[in-house]
Amino acid sequence: MDLTWGEDYAALAEVSKSVFARYSPLEDRANQVAIADQIAQFAELGWFQLGDPTGSDPDSPSLGTIAGIFVESGRALAATPLLELTMARDALLAIGTGKALGVAESIGDGGSVVVPVFPSPQWGSAVSYENGALNGTALAVSYADHADSFLVHAETGDHGDGVVALIDASAPTGIEPLPNIGGHPMFALTFDGVPVADDAVLARGEEADRAVELAEQRGAVLSAAQVHGAGLRLLDMTVLYAQQRHQFGGAIGRFQAVQYLCTDIAIAAHLTSAHARSAARAIDAGTDPQPHLGLMRKHAAKAALQIVHAAHEVHAGIGFMVESNVHLFTDAAKRWQYDFGSAAVNDAEIVSALDRICIGA
């Protein structure tokens, strides 16, 4: 397991920390930067142009370096479409056709808001492409209300192969908000015989599936980086509270039981970081990342719950009050838990990857 982030990680993380301070509800509940302004700022900073999933650009920063941005977004609990647009760009670069590269460049310049629609069984989603039309429902699509267009991955029914199509934001039959515990901007997209022009299909078969898989793998690492950042911030908050809260004649932080809970947060956050770094290195090196990704997803889902549970234990009743901000991490943790999948799904992925490595299955 490689425990190093990218070479320019620290510098990028430092810039990101100052940027996300404007977006963070932890700094000020009134912090609400319009999505269009966020996208403009990220484009100006060049963040939509970072990384090359194909590995063809030797000067492109590594996935571990880019993770510095997402650690800080997690630390700030900043609600931004940065991850979604990064995943869309990665998929387009991996497809690599002239049209796909043109759309990726437009995302990089901040000129297009392309939201990925990659249906996941984890959310009970399924979209099919047959006879030139899309049918089905995609759940938990983030920031669909701000999209110019959608990058849709759909199954064709031919041996499970898929297509990737770029469709206008007005094309879905329905776009409905999905109420959720964290108030995340999630939507259900319905496709009922939505026609797709031939030139809107950017990739088919293995090429389409591989592009989406690579984008999802890279997105999972960046999402785990957010969990790591959130854990670090929650650790700082919890340790400070344990030092300031006095009971039975002194700070509650002097009790070993409280110290153990703070340690649990630190361990969960740093193990998430270790697994994410290892997965990032495997992806950048072009080696099989599945064993690392399976372990990372399993631990990140577990860590998201562990850090908020331990924080609530230390904060006790005040942790349930709006003023404490602990509940904001609880809300985020529920989304991360679902995004990373169940332990059973991740265990199966780990076993399958180990079979390939050990016995060539």
Side-chain angles (χ1 to χ4, degrees):
M1 180 181 291
D2 196 315
L3 300 181
T4 59
W5 281 117
E7 58 284 351
D8 298 319
Y9 168 87
L12 192 55
E14 190 62 32
V15 172
S16 305
K17 183 180 295 185
S18 63
V19 170
F20 289 124
R22 292 180 56 225
Y23 296 41
S24 177
L26 303 173
E27 304 295 339
D28 186 342
R29 293 293 174 81
N31 278 346
Q32 291 186 353
V33 181
I35 297 298
D37 292 338
Q38 293 183 24
I39 291 172
Q41 182 177 28
F42 298 153
E44 183 179 357
L45 290 166
W47 286 358
F48 290 136
Q49 299 179 22
L50 294 177
D52 176 19
T54 67
S56 59
D57 182 1
D59 296 325
S60 181
S62 67
L63 183 57
T65 295
I66 299 168
I69 299 173
F70 291 85
V71 169
E72 295 308 321
S73 73
R75 193 194 300 267
L77 289 186
T80 81
L82 181 59
L83 178 62
E84 288 73 19
L85 294 180
T86 298
M87 290 176 61
R89 175 183 174 271
D90 283 348
L92 290 162
L93 290 177
I95 291 171
T97 63
K99 182 172 183 178
L101 293 177
V103 178
E105 183 178 358
S106 184
I107 294 174
D109 294 339
S112 295
V113 182
V114 181
V115 171
V117 181
F118 301 158
S120 169
Q122 184 71 22
W123 290 95
S125 299
V127 176
S128 63
Y129 173 80
E130 293 185 47
N131 301 319
L134 295 172
N135 289 279
T137 302
L139 300 178
V141 178
S142 297
Y143 297 99
D145 55 336
H146 292 280
D148 298 329
S149 54
F150 296 112
L151 191 67
V152 182
H153 184 223
E155 295 182 354
T156 63
D158 297 333
H159 308 292
D161 290 339
V163 299
V164 173
L166 184 71
I167 66 170
D168 189 83
S170 63
T173 310
I175 302 178
E176 299 292 334
L178 291 177
N180 59 91
I181 188 174
H184 304 291
M186 297 193 298
F187 298 82
L189 270 59
T190 303
F191 302 91
D192 186 6
V194 173
V196 180
D198 288 342
D199 63 352
V201 178
L202 303 182
R204 300 174 185 269
E206 184 177 343
E207 179 187 11
D209 295 339
R210 176 55 186 154
V212 171
E213 179 184 40
L214 184 56
E216 289 182 325
Q217 289 173 346
R218 292 171 65 86
V221 169
L222 299 179
S223 188
Q226 291 178 318
V227 175
H228 170 57
L232 295 179
R233 181 63 175 269
L234 195 53
L235 176 63
D236 290 343
M237 289 170 52
T238 305
V239 169
L240 180 62
Y241 180 78
Q243 293 171 338
Q244 295 178 338
R245 176 74 168 101
H246 281 64
Q247 200 171 32
F248 305 114
I252 62 171
R254 75 188 190 279
F255 296 118
Q256 195 171 49
V258 173
Q259 295 169 9
Y260 281 155
L261 289 168
C262 293
T263 302
D264 287 344
I265 300 174
I267 291 172
H270 287 293
L271 279 178
T272 301
S273 171
H275 287 300
R277 298 177 194 196
S278 188
R281 287 283 176 170
I283 292 172
D284 281 334
T287 59
D288 184 5
Q290 291 300 345
H292 308 283
L293 286 166
L295 288 167
M296 182 198 74
R297 288 188 176 110
K298 179 177 180 178
H299 182 79
K302 181 179 179 182
L305 298 185
Q306 285 180 322
I307 61 175
V308 296
H309 179 268
H312 275 293
E313 287 285 301
V314 174
H315 284 79
I318 194 64
F320 293 91
M321 302 297 177
V322 172
E323 292 78 10
S324 76
N325 284 336
V326 176
H327 72 286
L328 298 176
F329 292 89
T330 307
D331 294 344
K334 293 305 295 182
R335 174 65 193 268
W336 285 321
Q337 179 191 16
Y338 282 108
D339 281 349
F340 286 116
S342 67
V345 170
N346 291 319
D347 284 343
E349 180 179 327
I350 294 167
V351 170
S352 176
L354 292 177
D355 281 345
R356 290 197 305 273
I357 294 171
C358 298
I359 60 178

